[in-house]
Amino acid sequence: MIAKVTLTVNGAARTVEAPPLTRLLDALRGPLGLTGAKEGCGEGECGSCAVLLDGVPVNACLVALGQCEGREVVTVEGLGEPRHLAPLQACMAEHGGAQCGICTPGMLIAAESLLRSNAQPSAVEVRRAIAGNLCRCTGYDRIVASVLAAAEALRATRGASVSAGAPVRGAAE
Amino acid sequence: MHTGESLRPSVGTNVVRVDGAQKVTGGARYVDDLPPRPGELHGATVRSRVARAVLRGVRLDPTFDWSDVTVVTAADVPENVVQLIVDDQPVLAAERIHHRYEPVVLLACADRDKLARAVEAVLLDVDELPPVLTIEEALRARDVISGTDNVQKRYLITKGAPDIVRDAAPSDEARATEEAILRELEACEVVVRGEYSTHHQEQLYIEPQGMIAWWDDAGVHATGSIQCPYYVHKAMKRAFHLEPERIHVTQAVTGGGFGGKEEYPSLVALHAALLAKKSGRPVRMIYGRTEDIEATTKRHPAHCTVATGCDRDGTLRALMMRVVMDGGAYVTLTPVVLSRGILHAGGAYRWEHARIEGVAVATNTPPNGAFRGFGAPQTVWAIERHLDAVARELGMDPGVLKRQNLLVTGDTTPTGQAMRGEVGIHECVRRAFESSGYLERRRLGAAVSGRKARGIGCAIFLHGGGFTGSGERLLKGKAAVDLAPGGRLVVRSGSTDIGQGTETVFAQLAADAAKLPLDRVSVATPCTTYVPDSGPTVASRTVMVVGSIVERAAAEVAARVAAVRQPGESFATAGDRLLAREGTVTSLLQYESPAFVKWDDVRYRGDAYPVFAFMCDVAEVEVDLDTFEVTVLRFWQAADVGRAVHPLMCEGQLEGGTLQAIGWALSEELVWKDGAILNPRMTNYIVPTALDAPPFDTMLVEHPYSEGPGGGAKGIGEMPMDGGAAAIAAAVEHATGLAMNHLPLTPERLFAHAGARAVEAR
Amino acid sequence: MSVVDLPRYPFARAGSLGELCSLVHERCASGERTVLLAGGTDFMAEVSQSPRRDGPLPLVVDISRLPELGAIEWDGRTLRLGAGATYRELAEHHAVREHAPLIARMTSDIGGPTIQARGTLGGNLATASPAADGVAALAAYEPTVVLASVRGERKVRMADFHTGYKRTSRADDEIITAIEVAPPPPGSPWHWRKVGTRQAQAIAKVALGAVAALDGTRITRLGLGMASVGPTTALLPKTRALLVDGSPRDVDLAQLDAAVAADISPIDDIRSTGAYRLHVAKALVRELVRSLANL
């Protein structure tokens, strides 16, 4: 049985023809050519395959492609590119959050999800947000530090753009 | 001479890791991310499923369509041996089954579904034999599965009185040395005896084992997840009887190793290459998580029997330790693991008299192998817990007892190695104790609040950098630096970056040595066709040993450019002219072991390591007195790393290693039944999550090593694995009074140990 | 390896609950099996990890976006939790937080954020694992399970729903559509404690959910649910009988321990031991009683 599924991946409409119970992970890594999401366990334990599905972090190994018709998927490739890193990505590289890097795509997705809803998370909130992502290299402290640094960087950028872009009452008067 | 280039040193700064951008964008290509090669097949392994048996034969279900399935058995292997220390492990089992997950048949097929069905259509005819599954059964030797007595390796270290009698009675050294140490123990004011054991540990790198192999006119190619490309190279050379230049082994970006990808990938590569050879197609072999946990190597379980003698004031005098390790079904790296274990058994302490015996036995369980720490965590657990017991006996604080017996400059270890230069352990202890308030909090006793009790504990330890004794001299590790157009340098080495940051650190060392900016240096992908054999990426030797070769080679290349450089000319212009003139400008150097290292491989005497790194851990835990759950609230660690080439990554190594120790101590446990692993999944082999991990206070202490690169770096990759478990056990004891001598400290084990002492609360 | 099974499964998507009921009924009548797929946290993992299957595979029907299953509604007396609402949705919903705070709290102990984003109460109920955190917490509210089929709607008390290890009283052609909870007034005491294999991504060794109402110091209502101590979620009837109508300050602890021991039948497995579970079960109930006594 082959299904034709149309979904949005990293902002672009894509169509995949594959068996409907193909794992979203396999669809991404195979026909969609996005190998950023990794398979570490195949049972939703390690979080290396995490992607955003309609803005919510999920394990792509537990989602059937057939469930994704019309949905929006964001993978690590959708966060930024090597020459234009998103602040979160840059902080993960700069603050020691990535060692072997295999958990990093999933960590970034979990952290991205957090930062979209919480601009000023505490260290414990960061730990809760990444609790479904196993890392065997770092001891997690540097990942937490990376996400906190990204939150600060994002606040600084947003603060700057608000003050630059917002009309200042009285200035024109 | 003014170079005109940036002179700001890179060593000692936290430059962004060179592979960072690729890793945070999903661009880094791990083996299973590599696109399929034309005609590629999937490979699978048919394994034994019984722990010990005579293999009568292999049958293929005649009702199955085998037309598009490649089948490989032992008969297809030119020489059926996995090259390592002892030639006991076959590439595929031929006549005997020695463990439950032993590979017997290999299959390849383009269709993964059909491949899965084919695995089930292979029938193994076996006559089962009673398996030997534990250290105790192996020592009893009722069933002999290895040699004449199941013993894979023995070592003896002696110092003081046992050492003197050893030379006098070489034929009877075991008995004579034992009698001598017992006499010394008897002469001591306080003698304490104890037994301490440790369990298996799975590396659980998040990327499973994987390899792609193919053959062409150039020979065989294997690309995969590996720590040691030249191990794979040597294994291929042996099994296929190939000329070295016809073997091309390449490391893909590797998702963690921790020792688990030291020797095992040789087997994966041989298997993939066998299938590729027979099918004439490229073969991709990627392990599933369950297969990976079941079949690959783990940390050796160990049982240590300890007796020590000391003065009533706590001055340590005599140490007797017997270390027995479970090597598993084949020898693999067990002798080396056992060696490192006994070489660290005395801890960071001064002993006048010592007798340390090591024994490794075979069992019908998958071969145990390399895992960060490599034998030392087992013996450090024993000696640290034992000193906690001695302190209990003396009514002293264990941290105080340990501190007063630490090695100082000029003191000797049990092998007679004298401590050269400043012994950094004292500063480590001082900083860890001060920042944690260890002594004050120990004095205050456990902090009990409701049904929770908090305690604090410490461990103090050392770890030798590089191969043991004459190992580096025999190994002759090499590395090269090439001059490339535009004044660039390319570092070529067989040392792999498996996450620890090798590429970045090598680039830093080369850049500083050549006085070039960091971005002028690149590090070549480890491929045996192009990089020299630097020795394996193990043993805390990559920065300290290979890094020092890289540093010298880079300096040499820079000197050759400098020699032709004209006033006002840039390094790039001079370099390009030199290149045009000479074609290639390369410095290929070999490691030179420091002249002061003297080692007797027969008697196990002398300088076991050129230098030791040191560390002090302090753990604060909270124990739930009802459920016996242990929460690590905070963890302080101070480590003498010689010189931190990249402080952030150095701290990352220490923290990651310590969390592996915490997992080993508290939750990681393989459940065995009849030689099978009952929990080969991430859902039931329990490693710490971000919510289980404590915040770390990591302190770098820098007492440079005279021969270390970057101004004195020591090897530190393994050390953090050594002491965490003992620090936690001491803290648990402080909180609850439960003195645990056997790992792991799961709630169930603490509860069972507490027994009647489980306090009933209103 | 049997991730290779997944592409072979036939698949359909339900457009409406009525359509789904008909489809499932027809398949039952002709002896064909159907799997309803919501978050996939059980099914996808189990198929991937289990041995390869030969022979006909069940039809997998995606119900993850059926509007009839996703709603969470509060009508002033009853909280109706759609069986397909995810744990993440439950945790964020104001009515759940106000009227069933134990459920909102429990969700944060399920797996990790990625599991919470997909897992559903309906899935937990249908799988009927005694280790399910969600079912233990839910049980404390003494809820009613709402089932739909071509025959219409049927409501079953949760106490009668789970009939054995991974068995329920749901007919093969019935679909769990919602769970109805009649909660005690806001502010009523509740209690949740999970003892798992680790702090996240953990399966319960023992977990206890409790919801109470007190009149002065007298316990007037008490619902209990305990995970991983028997073939089904334990409702601890003897423990409850001992506590209801009494004061938590006057409980005889020996009697309490005995009641807990009589209510459960914990076993040894790869995650824990029966002896430890019994000990912890007693301790968690004592903890509950302490917290009620200290109100």
Side-chain angles (χ1 to χ4, degrees), chain B residues 575-583:
Chain B
D576 286 349
R577 202 176 55 250
L578 185 64
L579 267 179
R581 197 177 75 196
E582 307 207 350

Side-chain angles (χ1 to χ4, degrees), chain B residues 349 377 379-388 397-399 402 432-433 436 438 442 454-461 615-623 630-638 657-659 661-666 694 696 719-736 738-740 743 745:
Chain B
Y349 311 104
T379 55
V380 170
W381 163 257
I383 194 66
E384 286 298 293
R385 285 307 288 154
H386 185 79
L387 291 185
D388 291 346
D397 181 80
K402 292 172 184 177
F433 278 16
S436 63
Y438 172 83
R442 291 289 299 195
R454 290 184 177 193
I456 195 165
C458 75
I460 305 173
F461 47 102
M615 192 156 173
C616 178
D617 285 348
V618 175
E620 185 189 16
V621 305
E622 182 174 83
V623 184
V630 177
T631 307
V632 185
L633 298 172
R634 201 163 163 187
F635 205 102
W636 294 263
Q637 48 187 6
T658 292
L659 189 61
I662 292 173
W664 188 48
L666 293 177
F696 289 101
M719 180 166 64
M721 182 68 221
D722 294 352
I728 292 208
V732 167
E733 181 177 346
H734 187 228
T736 63
L738 297 172
M740 303 296 287
L743 284 174
L745 276 56

Side-chain angles (χ1 to χ4, degrees), chain B residues 705-723:
Chain B
Y705 162 45
S706 59
E707 315 294 313
K714 298 176 179 178
I716 57 101
E718 297 174 279
M719 180 166 64
M721 182 68 221
D722 294 352

Side-chain angles (χ1 to χ4, degrees), chain A residues 29 38 43 100 136 142, chain B residues 30 33 655 668 681:
Chain A
R29 292 179 55 84
K38 311 297 181 194
E43 56 171 336
C100 87
R136 193 62 159 164
R142 307 284 148 179
Chain B
Y30 301 78
D33 301 337
E655 292 169 6
E668 294 180 37
R681 289 166 63 168

Side-chain angles (χ1 to χ4, degrees), chain B residues 212-479:
Chain B
I212 301 172
W214 69 97
W215 295 72
D216 61 16
D217 294 344
V220 65
H221 304 257
T223 296
S225 186
I226 39 184
Q227 268 178 252
C228 309
Y230 272 96
Y231 273 18
V232 178
H233 191 272
K234 286 167 189 156
M236 295 275 216
K237 181 166 167 267
R238 177 78 181 273
F240 287 108
H241 295 152
L242 283 172
E243 295 303 310
E245 58 277 10
R246 292 185 56 74
I247 306 164
H248 313 276
V249 180
T250 307
Q251 185 218 11
V253 181
T254 297
F258 319 115
K261 291 171 185 168
E262 175 173 350
E263 73 274 30
Y264 197 85
S266 298
L267 211 53
V268 189
L270 288 169
H271 290 171
L274 281 164
L275 285 166
K277 189 179 181 197
K278 192 158 185 186
S279 65
R281 312 264 290 268
V283 170
R284 176 177 301 235
M285 200 154 208
I286 309 290
Y287 279 15
R289 178 58 56 184
T290 291
E291 179 175 30
D292 195 302
I293 293 180
E294 287 174 341
T296 71
T297 54
K298 287 147 200 75
R299 184 182 305 290
H300 292 67
H303 187 95
C304 299
T305 311
V306 186
T308 57
C310 64
D311 299 347
R312 244 177 265 289
D313 70 358
T315 304
L316 300 176
R317 298 285 174 197
L319 165 68
M320 179 167 81
M321 191 186 299
R322 177 177 154 92
V323 181
V324 188
M325 288 189 182
D326 175 353
Y330 296 109
V331 170
T332 66
L333 294 168
T334 292
V336 199
V337 173
L338 180 66
S339 161
R340 189 169 279 268
I342 58 167
L343 288 168
H344 288 76
Y349 311 104
R350 189 188 318 117
W351 304 96
E352 287 170 35
H353 309 284
R355 181 190 191 274
I356 300 163
E357 183 189 5
V359 181
V361 297
T363 59
N364 293 117
T365 58
N368 294 309
F371 192 159
R372 192 182 213 159
F374 210 73
Q378 292 91 322
T379 55
V380 170
W381 163 257
I383 194 66
E384 286 298 293
R385 285 307 288 154
H386 185 79
L387 291 185
D388 291 346
V390 172
R392 211 181 299 132
E393 178 73 23
L394 296 171
M396 289 177 75
D397 181 80
V400 173
L401 170 74
K402 292 172 184 177
R403 192 177 58 178
Q404 83 180 46
N405 286 286
L406 291 173
L407 294 162
V408 299
T409 306
D411 277 349
T412 56
T413 66
T415 64
Q417 173 170 1
M419 290 285 121
R420 300 170 68 253
E422 177 123 23
V423 181
I425 190 61
H426 303 274
E427 187 178 343
C428 294
V429 171
R430 183 177 59 74
R431 290 187 60 185
F433 278 16
E434 279 178 13
S435 59
S436 63
Y438 172 83
L439 292 172
E440 176 64 13
R441 293 168 76 175
R442 291 289 299 195
R443 255 196 301 277
L444 293 172
V448 180
S449 164
R451 301 298 299 151
K452 304 267 173 91
R454 290 184 177 193
I456 195 165
C458 75
I460 305 173
F461 47 102
L462 47 66
H463 197 101
F467 268 27
T468 298
S470 41
E472 294 291 352
R473 225 166 251 146
L474 299 171
L475 190 65
K476 301 186 176 70
K478 295 166 201 61

